[in-house]
Amino acid sequence: MSDWLNKIRKGIGKKLAAIHRWNAWMVAFLAFSGVILPLGFWREVLGGGRVWLKWLHIGVGLALLLPVVYYLFLAGKHWKLLKDRPKQKWNVIIVLFLL
């Protein structure tokens, strides 16, 4: 079991960057669609597509759990890298709390 965990943790920098990038795109989409969905103007513009946007919003929200779970496999090694950076540790804690 630890063999596959060591394989996942190898090359942590690029993996953390990829997780960050995916997380940022997903949160940006959720913020954008979350603003559009309740506004009355967009009901007329989107029409029936609003239902699809709502379900896509829900699906992306659930898919947002995947990068978080993947990060949890890397969290131990990442935490060791942040040993002398208490402000970045707090940043990680706050972001995980928000997600």
Side-chain angles (χ1 to χ4, degrees):
M1 181 170 160
S2 75
D3 185 41
W4 67 270
L5 192 57
N6 288 335
K7 197 178 229 183
I8 288 175
R9 288 181 175 173
K10 188 175 183 181
I12 191 170
K14 289 182 181 180
K15 291 178 182 175
L16 288 174
I19 290 171
H20 181 79
R21 189 171 39 256
W22 276 101
N23 191 38
W25 279 110
M26 292 170 122
V27 169
F29 172 77
L30 288 172
F32 180 70
S33 62
V35 168
I36 285 179
L37 283 170
L39 296 179
F41 168 76
W42 289 102
R43 289 177 193 246
E44 295 176 19
V45 174
L46 294 175
R50 186 175 173 273
V51 175
W52 289 99
L53 180 62
K54 180 181 87 170
W55 283 108
L56 187 61
H57 180 86
I58 292 169
V60 171
L62 291 174
L64 187 63
L65 293 173
L66 294 175
V68 174
V69 170
Y70 187 53
Y71 172 76
L72 292 177
F73 287 116
L74 304 173
K77 192 167 184 180
H78 185 222
W79 200 256
K80 288 178 187 175
L81 291 174
L82 298 176
K83 166 177 62 173
D84 298 328
R85 301 173 181 163
K87 290 182 181 178
Q88 286 184 349
K89 282 185 176 183
W90 274 107
N91 183 37
V92 170
I93 291 169
I94 291 169
V95 168
L96 285 176
F97 175 76
L98 291 173
L99 291 174

